[in-house]
Amino acid sequence: MSDSQTVDVPTRRKTETRCFLFLAVFLAPALSIAIVGALGFSIWIYQMFAGPPGPPM
């Protein structure tokens, strides 16, 4: 490898740590909240048209 393609270990470790913290602290919780919210919203919209669950009266 040439010198321009290598990255020293402390810089790479720092970058990987920042990336992991971003994914673990911000992205994963935001995605899980968005997915659960979207599912709840879609069920709510479906029940507006199909009616609530349960036996018909």
Side-chain angles (χ1 to χ4, degrees):
M1 281 192 189
S2 66
D3 291 332
S4 64
Q5 292 179 348
T6 60
V7 177
D8 56 341
V9 175
T11 304
R12 182 173 178 164
R13 182 172 294 206
K14 191 179 209 182
T15 304
E16 287 181 1
T17 302
R18 286 183 182 174
C19 183
F20 170 75
L21 288 175
F22 172 74
L23 290 173
V25 175
F26 295 110
L27 192 61
L31 281 176
S32 63
I33 290 169
I35 290 170
V36 170
L39 178 63
F41 184 74
S42 65
I43 291 171
W44 178 58
I45 293 294
Y46 171 75
Q47 287 181 354
M48 286 176 61
F49 295 110
M57 294 189 161

